[in-house]
Amino acid sequence: MFESSSTSIQGLSSEKVIASRTKNGANSTEHQQKNNFLHSLFELIKEPMFILLLTATSVYFVTADYNNGIFMLLAIILVVSISLYQESKSRNAIEALSKLTQPKSKVIRNGIVVEIPSEEIVLGDLIQTEEGTFVPADGIIIQSNDFSVNESILTGESLSVSKNEQSENKQVYQGTIVASGLAICQVTAIGSQTQLGKIGKSLDNIVEEKTPLQIQISNFVTYISLIGLVAFIIVWGINYWNSKLILDSLLKALTLAMSIIPEEIPVAFTTFMALGAWRLLRMGIIVKQTKTVETLGSATVICTDKTGTITENKMSLAEWFTLDASTVTTNHSNLNPKEQELINSAMWASEPIPFDAMEIALHEAYTNSIATDERPQYKMIHEYPLSGKPPMMTHVFENKEGHRIIATKGAPEAIIACSKLSETEKEKINTAFLAMTKKGFRVLGVGTTDFNGTYFPKTQQEFELDFKGLVAFYDPPKKNIKAVLETFYKAGIAVKIITGDNAETTATIAQQIGFKNPEKILNGDELMQMSPARLKEKVMETTIFTRMFPEAKLKIIQALKDN
């Protein structure tokens, strides 16, 4: 246990925790029925191919052809064993992966901070979230310091979002990752009532459909069975009419019906699917059910996310702009003094030990561009956390000789508002800013100031800044993604990007990776307003879907399936 840093925050008492858990339950999500052994066996028995195999085997035994009957029975046992073993291995792998999630969280109870299993968090608890941890439940920020959170799991947006107790949106959500700072939040939803839990429940409500091969095999079995039944009745009738022997006529009719049933086909299909799943498993790909193999093989459209799938989900410094330049710059190898000063200032405005992807990129750019690293010589003596509308942050560093570096970064309009600039200079900055944002980059303004006193201003907005320039970041595409796309296109598979990111960023990345028709874009709000008939047409011609949310994504998938 750890002592609370704030005696004014007491949190729930032990009695209130028990009462809340009794009334609202635990912080766990209700899942669908687990795919245990009996459930897997039952699902396998329902398969048309298995029924066809069983029918053929029964006919062999009825007609006293025990050799073929035993052979078919052994084939059934072998196929069932491979399928069940493969599913068992997949279940074990999935359960092992689930254990990698954050097991414990910090909460304030009875005035002290304690670590408890995340499942024991109750409604009304005060949770303490800090840099690098997962948010264990939905809540509202009541105290924070330089707090930002990566919500890409819900929104698809790769950039972290800064929030505090004064923000218009001060909600935090389960499953999101704290990118920087610390916050104390009051829990407003747990388990299946969280935003992440609701998404899980909406997925549980999706009716499982048969695969294309299952439908074809089902139709095939029905067709063959009807032919066999008709042949059986005709042969039995003719034989009985001629011989008047019921048993002999039945045996002859069954023999003919058995010859119609192609028992080798279901054996081959089932074996190939089981072996395909086995091969994927050896390659490190988890196949929960054997039928996934043939479903992958019959895919004609692939819908993919952008962040972390097409891109690397990490920021890199893309462009920068200084007032003495006429255009934005991308030349990393030959920085002029003004550009070097801009990179240095942006780094000093970042955390000394960066966690945020943009600040990591700034530290890397500084390291790669300077001859002598001055960071070990300076110590941060004061900081202003991210605040204001629009937001900005300021850090004050000082070395042993008393020399200070005061650097600020944040929204360009916030830095401009605190800088002494002419109208011409402001217009020049805004032109560069618009050019960067049209490419989908995240843009920050950078400034510096001098202050020799001991008593720093109450707010960073009171500083008069010297505007240094703009820095822009982007999330680069994965190195192999272009080859992957070409493979899909050659196979005749259409690819569509469904992302929560904005249209400009997504279109820029799409053009870089050779994505076909990146100009055909549709956003989530427009999609939700379309009629089902119009949507069915639009999803076929659209290649990039932006600003998407779970409900919109499901509508896209359903419209594609309907087509």
Side-chain angles (χ1 to χ4, degrees):
M1 290 189 297
F2 309 93
E3 292 186 2
S4 176
S5 59
S6 177
T7 55
S8 62
I9 300 179
Q10 295 296 312
L12 296 180
S13 64
S14 300
E15 293 78 13
K16 289 182 178 179
V17 169
I18 295 172
S20 180
R21 184 175 291 117
T22 303
K23 181 179 179 181
N24 303 298
N27 185 32
S28 59
T29 306
E30 296 178 4
H31 297 286
Q32 287 181 310
Q33 181 184 8
K34 288 188 176 180
N35 192 15
N36 53 33
F37 177 80
L38 291 178
H39 180 70
S40 298
L41 184 61
F42 179 71
E43 288 296 318
L44 193 62
I45 291 172
K46 291 195 305 182
E47 291 291 324
M49 289 187 291
F50 183 86
I51 296 172
L52 190 58
L53 279 174
L54 204 59
T55 302
T57 305
S58 302
V59 171
Y60 278 128
F61 279 109
V62 169
T63 57
D65 189 352
Y66 297 113
N67 289 335
N68 281 328
I70 293 172
F71 176 79
M72 289 294 292
L73 188 61
L74 290 174
I76 291 174
I77 294 173
L78 178 63
V79 169
V80 169
S81 299
I82 292 175
S83 297
L84 292 178
Y85 176 74
Q86 179 268 328
E87 287 192 17
S88 174
K89 293 280 287 184
S90 297
R91 284 199 307 274
N92 293 337
I94 291 170
E95 288 172 5
L97 286 173
S98 67
K99 292 178 182 178
L100 294 177
T101 56
Q102 180 178 307
K104 290 189 176 183
S105 301
K106 290 181 181 180
V107 298
I108 301 175
R109 291 179 179 174
N110 301 305
I112 57 175
V113 179
V114 295
E115 278 192 339
I116 62 170
S118 298
E119 293 78 10
E120 294 182 9
I121 291 173
V122 299
L123 206 64
D125 251 330
L126 295 182
I127 55 175
Q128 180 176 303
T129 60
E130 53 196 20
E131 193 170 288
T133 63
F134 286 91
V135 177
D138 288 4
I140 297 177
I141 301 171
I142 60 173
Q143 273 193 19
S144 65
N145 179 35
D146 196 16
F147 182 74
S148 65
V149 61
N150 186 318
E151 298 180 340
S152 58
I153 191 172
L154 293 174
T155 64
E157 178 65 66
S158 61
L159 305 175
S160 57
V161 182
S162 300
K163 297 184 177 185
N164 56 53
E165 57 273 24
Q166 277 84 42
S167 301
E168 184 177 345
N169 178 12
K170 53 185 177 181
Q171 281 279 138
V172 294
Y173 302 101
Q174 183 186 50
T176 57
I177 305 172
V178 180
S180 65
L182 179 145
I184 296 173
C185 312
Q186 185 170 29
V187 175
T188 56
I190 57 175
S192 58
Q193 297 305 309
T194 63
Q195 291 298 314
L196 198 63
K198 289 176 181 177
I199 293 173
K201 287 179 72 175
S202 69
L203 295 178
D204 285 347
N205 293 331
I206 297 175
V207 178
E208 185 175 348
E209 299 180 6
K210 289 185 177 182
T211 67
L213 186 60
Q214 283 179 313
I215 295 172
Q216 292 173 12
I217 291 295
S218 180
N219 294 337
F220 174 74
V221 170
T222 303
Y223 179 69
I224 292 297
S225 299
L226 289 173
I227 294 176
L229 181 61
V230 172
F232 170 78
I233 293 172
I234 293 172
V235 172
W236 176 77
I238 293 173
N239 274 278
Y240 179 70
W241 178 266
N242 292 327
S243 64
K244 307 299 181 184
L245 299 173
I246 294 178
L247 184 59
D248 181 69
S249 301
L250 284 172
L251 287 174
K252 289 178 179 177
L254 281 172
T255 301
L256 179 63
M258 179 189 68
S259 66
I260 293 174
I261 298 174
E263 63 273 9
E264 295 85 359
I265 292 178
V267 172
F269 272 137
T270 309
T271 304
F272 288 150
M273 294 305 157
L275 291 176
W278 178 278
R279 183 186 177 195
L280 289 172
L281 189 64
R282 293 187 65 184
M283 295 168 63
I285 301 169
I286 298 174
V287 179
K288 192 175 181 182
Q289 294 177 319
T290 309
K291 60 188 177 185
T292 304
V293 178
E294 70 93 359
T295 305
L296 285 173
S298 62
T300 56
V301 179
I302 288 180
C303 297
T304 176
D305 185 30
K306 179 185 73 70
T307 307
T309 306
I310 290 176
T311 66
E312 295 181 358
N313 197 18
K314 64 180 183 180
M315 291 291 166
S316 63
L317 186 60
E319 295 180 345
W320 53 88
F321 168 81
T322 58
L323 275 174
D324 63 329
S326 57
T327 58
V328 295
T329 309
T330 60
N331 187 357
H332 290 253
S333 59
N334 189 20
L335 299 177
N336 63 43
K338 290 288 185 182
E339 291 171 343
Q340 185 65 64
E341 191 177 1
L342 170 63
I343 300 299
N344 293 357
S345 300
M347 186 282 297
W348 288 116
S350 305
E351 295 292 337
I353 303 176
F355 179 83
D356 178 79
M358 287 184 291
E359 293 192 342
I360 291 173
L362 287 172
H363 273 265
E364 289 178 352
Y366 172 82
T367 302
N368 296 332
S369 63
I370 48 91
T372 304
D373 189 351
E374 294 184 315
R375 286 175 294 188
Q377 303 171 23
Y378 285 83
K379 181 180 179 181
M380 188 165 67
I381 61 171
H382 192 74
E383 71 170 319
Y384 295 90
L386 196 69
S387 63
K389 292 183 179 180
M392 56 189 283
M393 63 189 297
T394 303
H395 289 159
V396 182
F397 290 87
E398 189 175 87
N399 64 9
K400 292 180 181 179
E401 289 75 32
H403 178 260
R404 284 181 181 173
I405 298 175
I406 305 176
T408 303
K409 66 177 171 62
E413 51 268 45
I415 307 300
I416 291 171
C418 297
S419 303
K420 188 175 283 187
L421 297 165
S422 66
E423 290 302 318
T424 303
E425 289 173 328
K426 288 180 181 179
E427 185 177 341
K428 193 175 181 181
I429 295 167
N430 285 325
T431 301
F433 173 62
L434 288 174
M436 289 173 167
T437 54
K438 283 181 179 178
K439 298 175 184 177
F441 296 150
R442 175 72 178 270
V443 184
L444 296 179
V446 181
T448 61
T449 189
D450 294 319
F451 187 85
N452 296 318
T454 305
Y455 299 100
F456 292 97
K458 186 176 181 180
T459 65
Q460 58 190 321
Q461 284 79 8
E462 295 177 45
F463 285 122
E464 185 177 288
L465 300 177
D466 177 15
F467 187 88
K468 294 299 179 184
L470 304 173
V471 287
F473 306 83
Y474 87 117
D475 187 7
K478 290 181 177 177
K479 294 179 181 179
N480 68 328
I481 196 64
K482 196 168 187 177
V484 171
L485 281 177
E486 288 175 359
T487 303
F488 288 147
Y489 291 142
K490 287 179 181 177
I493 299 174
V495 183
K496 298 181 185 294
I497 299 175
I498 304 179
T499 178
D501 217 334
N502 61 63
E504 291 81 4
T505 300
T506 308
T508 300
I509 295 295
Q511 289 170 0
Q512 293 173 358
I513 63 175
F515 188 80
K516 289 185 178 180
N517 303 316
E519 72 282 354
K520 296 182 178 179
I521 301 173
L522 181 67
N523 69 50
D525 292 333
E526 293 174 345
L527 183 144
M528 295 301 287
Q529 295 173 4
M530 289 184 178
S531 65
R534 174 61 180 152
L535 181 60
K536 284 178 67 176
E537 295 178 7
K538 197 67 177 176
V539 294
M540 298 305 292
E541 62 186 52
T542 304
T543 57
I544 297 177
F545 299 85
T546 60
R547 293 303 185 198
M548 288 291 143
F549 37 90
E551 295 84 358
K553 292 179 181 180
L554 287 177
K555 287 192 73 172
I556 294 169
I557 300 301
Q558 190 58 55
L560 287 168
K561 288 163 64 178
D562 290 343
N563 283 327

